[in-house]
Amino acid sequence: MRPKFSSIIGLFCLFAYGGALGYGIYETRRSIYTQKNTSEKEFYELVNTANAAGVLGFMDQPFRDAVRDGIMNSKTLQGAIISGPYGNEYAVERKEGIITRTNDIPRFVTRFGLSRDPHWEKLSIDGIRNASVSAMYYIIDYDEFSLILKHVLMAVLAILALALLTMIFSSIFGKPPRIINVEMGDARTFKFAESAAETEKRPRPPEKKEAPIPAQETPSGDHPRGLYSPHGNISWAAYTKERLASELHRCAAFEQDLVLIAMEFNNTGTPFFNEFTEMAVKHFTLRDLIFEWGTQGIAVIIPNADLDQGFARAEEFHAKVLSLFAPRLSAGADLAIGLSSRAGRLIDAERLIFETSQALAKAKDDPASSLVAFRSDPEKYRAFIASQGKE
């Protein structure tokens, strides 16, 4: 699965999560507004009922029954307190816990979900002064709120399922990353190192002469003139080592990582090399950190990035290149990419170029993986360098 498609799915999931959250907030606010309006209508119906029943006698049993029936038949009102000339005289609640009593005086409780300001209105009953009614209501309909939460949860689960399916398809159909882990016994090999005890017992192999570093070749056959080569309008291959050394020194001073990426097309020429290099400039942004490599490849220096970040950018660029140039590539051709990083080591440019070239060679030799990264253990690398200095 292409990284671009995965990014689109991820972006869609992000917006969908935002939409589900927005839906939940909107519906909750709408429910609160509706609940308040409904409670006001029911409260004034209760006031009219109390005024009508007061004609038969304020605080007589018919009056009390009318107020109680008004509360019990309401959808939103949870309790009411009737006040008369002598203070709070009568209280009724739908369920226990809405009204409490202090010194036998009824009061509404303060609790999450109940309105902070009860409805209040004076009663108009002949012969009765200072009579009023107040009522408490829940600010939200919990049945409706449960339904809103259920809808939001279903949307979130659907989005999560889509994200998981994308990850599964990406892991199945995507090309898995390949990183060569090297623990420094003999730092010049790509084999997993033996333990320190085993290394001491075994005689050191004879020093092998390293192959020429392909980054130093000049594909155009000309000597460097100016900053950029006419072959691809990128930096000359001969400048790679010097510029890499400078960037390594700067990153070491600021304790930053650095990644070197080398890439070449295998089993094919590159008549579209200029298009390829321009695409690299757009993707990696710094033309002066992109160099010729070999006869049909390029090298890229990425300062202040670790190996995983460099691998991700290389993988994204690999997908872009194949999507554009696939129709023009011969059968079995692919863009091979190798990379290595400083990884906290005091490493020189020649060593980093060598590691990257070896990773690229393995990527070109292995048809199962077009991207190979060289990962070094910094502690074992330091031990290896120390042992070299003692000899």
Side-chain angles (χ1 to χ4, degrees):
M1 182 173 293
R2 299 296 186 191
K4 184 176 181 181
F5 178 72
S6 300
S7 300
I8 293 174
I9 294 296
L11 190 62
F12 169 77
C13 290
L14 184 63
F15 280 112
Y17 278 125
L21 179 61
Y23 165 81
I25 294 175
Y26 170 78
E27 288 297 319
T28 301
R29 290 174 63 90
R30 184 192 60 78
S31 178
I32 292 174
Y33 179 78
T34 302
Q35 185 83 347
K36 183 178 180 181
N37 287 343
T38 304
S39 69
E40 288 179 352
K41 293 178 182 179
E42 293 181 341
F43 173 70
Y44 283 107
E45 290 177 2
L46 178 66
V47 171
N48 293 333
T49 299
N51 286 331
V55 176
L56 303 176
F58 180 65
M59 288 300 173
D60 289 345
Q61 193 60 41
F63 176 85
R64 293 170 180 261
D65 292 341
V67 173
R68 176 178 292 278
D69 291 343
I71 291 296
M72 295 304 174
N73 294 329
S74 168
K75 292 182 179 180
T76 60
L77 301 181
Q78 301 300 314
I81 297 177
I82 305 297
S83 299
Y86 307 105
N88 295 343
E89 300 186 24
Y90 177 66
V92 60
E93 56 187 344
R94 184 191 296 270
K95 293 181 181 180
E96 291 186 5
I98 303 298
I99 296 175
T100 185
R101 294 181 180 274
T102 305
N103 297 326
D104 205 31
I105 299 175
R107 300 179 185 278
F108 293 117
V109 299
T110 301
R111 194 171 69 189
F112 176 77
L114 288 174
S115 60
R116 294 183 179 181
D117 299 318
H119 296 306
W120 180 91
E121 186 68 28
K122 292 182 65 176
L123 294 176
S124 301
I125 302 175
D126 291 340
I128 302 298
R129 299 177 57 189
N130 300 325
S132 64
V133 58
S134 56
M136 182 66 74
Y137 66 97
Y138 278 119
I139 61 175
I140 191 169
D141 184 344
Y142 283 97
D143 291 335
E144 185 175 0
F145 184 63
S146 298
L147 187 61
I148 294 171
L149 287 180
K150 186 181 296 183
H151 290 164
V152 172
L153 181 59
M154 290 175 62
V156 169
L157 290 177
I159 299 166
L160 181 60
L162 176 62
L164 289 175
L165 286 174
T166 302
M167 291 177 61
I168 292 172
F169 280 112
S170 179
S171 63
I172 293 175
F173 298 106
K175 188 171 286 186
R178 182 179 175 213
I179 297 180
I180 299 177
N181 293 286
V182 179
E183 298 178 349
M184 291 297 172
D186 180 353
R188 300 179 184 278
T189 71
F190 277 71
K191 296 180 181 179
F192 290 95
E194 303 86 351
S195 65
E198 292 174 343
T199 305
E200 291 177 1
K201 292 178 182 178
R202 294 178 56 182
R204 287 185 56 83
E207 191 73 23
K208 294 181 180 180
K209 188 176 180 181
E210 295 180 3
I213 299 172
Q216 305 305 312
E217 299 176 3
T218 304
S220 60
D222 298 331
H223 294 291
R225 295 190 302 274
L227 182 60
Y228 299 123
S229 165
H231 182 65
N233 194 27
I234 54 177
S235 298
W236 295 85
Y239 295 161
T240 308
K241 183 176 178 180
E242 181 180 356
R243 184 60 188 274
L244 179 60
S246 174
E247 290 297 323
L248 283 170
H249 180 74
R250 186 187 64 80
C251 288
F254 291 97
E255 297 184 354
Q256 295 176 345
D257 207 345
L258 177 145
V259 176
L260 177 63
I261 304 175
M263 55 188 80
E264 280 185 328
F265 288 94
N266 55 5
N267 302 328
T268 182
T270 51
F272 45 83
F273 186 76
N274 286 344
E275 296 178 62
F276 170 61
T277 57
E278 284 304 312
M279 180 181 288
V281 171
K282 290 180 181 179
H283 184 76
F284 296 103
T285 68
L286 296 176
R287 187 184 297 272
D288 61 325
L289 293 181
I290 302 176
F291 304 83
E292 297 171 331
W293 179 280
T295 57
Q296 55 183 3
I298 63 173
V300 182
I301 300 173
I302 307 179
N304 195 23
D306 60 26
L307 189 63
D308 293 328
Q309 293 170 330
F311 198 101
R313 294 188 65 179
E315 192 173 29
E316 183 180 355
F317 180 67
H318 181 268
K320 288 182 178 180
V321 169
L322 290 190
S323 65
L324 181 63
F325 296 125
R328 287 185 270 178
L329 294 176
S330 59
D334 195 3
L335 177 64
I337 300 178
L339 60 160
S340 185
S341 68
R342 193 178 81 86
R345 301 175 291 170
L346 293 177
I347 187 173
D348 58 29
E350 185 175 358
R351 179 67 210 179
L352 189 58
I353 292 173
F354 175 78
E355 292 175 357
T356 304
S357 65
Q358 294 300 300
L360 176 61
K362 287 186 173 293
K364 295 172 71 174
D365 293 340
D366 186 358
S369 181
S370 302
L371 284 79
V372 175
F374 182 105
R375 189 191 296 276
S376 173
D377 185 302
E379 296 299 327
K380 291 191 176 291
Y381 180 81
R382 295 187 188 100
F384 168 76
I385 295 299
S387 66
Q388 293 292 93
K390 292 179 182 178
E391 295 178 357

